[in-house]
Amino acid sequence: MLQYKMKKVISAYGEVLRLVRRLPEDSRIYYAKYARENFVNYREVDPNDATALQELLTRTYKHSLWVLKKYSVEEAAADKLKNICCN
């Protein structure tokens, strides 16, 4: 079960980086670095705490939507991230 949770977090990170590629070129470096810093900052979260992990994944999805909307990228671009984070 623990391995599944970690795979889910890594999948979410990878999908966030794929979404960063949809942003304007001059914004990509900032958001890729921002995403990495956030994932690194939360690595201390107990992987056995399902509630905390789900809250972080939900926040990942919601923040990604906010950034996509800011740059007028269709919300549907984040469907895969939604499946990872919200299911």
Side-chain angles (χ1 to χ4, degrees):
M1 187 68 158
L2 179 62
Q3 188 174 7
Y4 169 75
K5 292 175 188 175
M6 295 309 293
K7 185 175 180 182
K8 193 172 183 178
V9 170
I10 292 168
S11 295
Y13 177 63
E15 189 58 30
V16 166
L17 292 180
R18 280 187 278 286
L19 290 172
V20 166
R21 291 187 216 141
R22 294 176 171 263
L23 302 177
E25 195 169 335
D26 61 339
S27 302
R28 292 177 192 166
I29 293 172
Y30 170 79
Y31 283 105
K33 184 177 178 182
Y34 180 81
R36 180 169 174 16
E37 287 173 355
N38 275 282
F39 276 88
V40 167
N41 287 340
Y42 290 106
R43 70 177 170 217
E44 300 301 323
V45 171
D46 181 3
N48 293 312
D49 186 347
T51 302
L53 282 176
Q54 190 55 53
E55 286 174 4
L56 287 172
L57 288 169
T58 300
R59 190 169 26 185
T60 298
Y61 174 68
K62 288 180 179 181
H63 186 75
S64 296
L65 286 182
W66 182 87
V67 172
L68 292 175
K69 185 175 181 180
K70 177 180 177 181
Y71 290 100
S72 302
V73 176
E74 291 183 32
E75 186 175 320
D79 283 350
K80 187 173 180 181
L81 182 62
K82 182 178 182 180
N83 287 335
I84 294 167
C85 294
C86 301
N87 289 329

